Amino acid sequence: MKATKTMIVIANSGTARFLINAGPGKGLTPTGGKTLQADPPTMYADRAGEVHSRVGPGMSAVEQTDPKMLAQADFAKEVSDFLETSFEKGNFERLIVAAGPHMLGVIRDALSEKVSKVVIAEVDKDLTHLPLEDLPEHLDHVLAV
């Protein structure tokens, strides 16, 4: 019987590591050293913009965008695109996403529908700072490593 491959994404707002578990007792293996790094947030302006009214002397403020939030959404999209490509190539059948609570939500929103369907667990912890050998004890409640 063929073992089910599970992809594990360990991410925060700046880094994403991808690991594979090929079945119970097989441990975690990095996916060819693939690590994504987020681009730094781009600051566009130091204050909200203003626009002139089409009629009369009035002015209106334009809502200011949050560069950090935009950078996180862009990075989550990059992670999602990598996962979708890997899934289509048959590199995994199940997915576990581990990230801090906020970034977990951003990644969840960015995942395509077909990749979202194979998510078997979410871990709301930032584990990016841990070495590979310490990860199994933090994932043992969602995966038989």
Side-chain angles (χ1 to χ4, degrees):
M1 184 170 142
K2 181 184 163 206
T4 302
K5 286 193 267 181
T6 304
M7 172 83 72
I8 300 99
V9 180
I10 309 292
N12 63 18
S13 61
T15 303
R17 297 185 332 191
F18 303 91
L19 309 165
I20 291 286
N21 173 263
K26 301 287 186 180
L28 300 174
T29 307
T31 57
K34 183 67 175 176
T35 300
L36 295 178
Q37 296 291 328
D39 293 329
T42 304
M43 296 300 279
Y44 297 105
D46 59 351
R47 62 187 178 98
E50 295 176 342
V51 294
H52 292 278
S53 175
R54 290 192 317 169
V55 180
M59 301 271 296
S60 298
V62 177
E63 182 179 347
Q64 186 164 353
T65 58
D66 183 352
K68 184 178 174 185
M69 298 290 277
L70 290 174
Q72 288 175 350
D74 288 345
F75 185 57
K77 177 71 172 122
E78 189 177 345
V79 170
S80 174
D81 290 346
F82 175 78
L83 290 170
E84 184 157 1
T85 301
S86 294
F87 183 69
E88 288 172 353
K89 290 180 180 178
N91 294 340
F92 67 94
E93 292 88 31
R94 303 182 321 168
L95 177 64
I96 295 173
V97 182
H102 176 73
M103 194 61 190
L104 182 61
V106 176
I107 291 171
R108 184 185 305 126
D109 291 343
L111 291 177
S112 69
E113 187 176 332
K114 66 179 157 185
V115 174
S116 293
K117 289 180 180 178
V118 299
V119 173
I120 61 165
E122 295 177 342
V123 179
D124 62 347
K125 292 181 187 175
D126 180 1
L127 304 175
T128 56
H129 62 282
L130 295 175
L132 182 63
E133 59 271 5
D134 292 345
L135 288 173
E137 68 186 71
H138 293 277
L139 299 172
D140 61 358
H141 64 286
V142 294
L143 183 66
V145 184

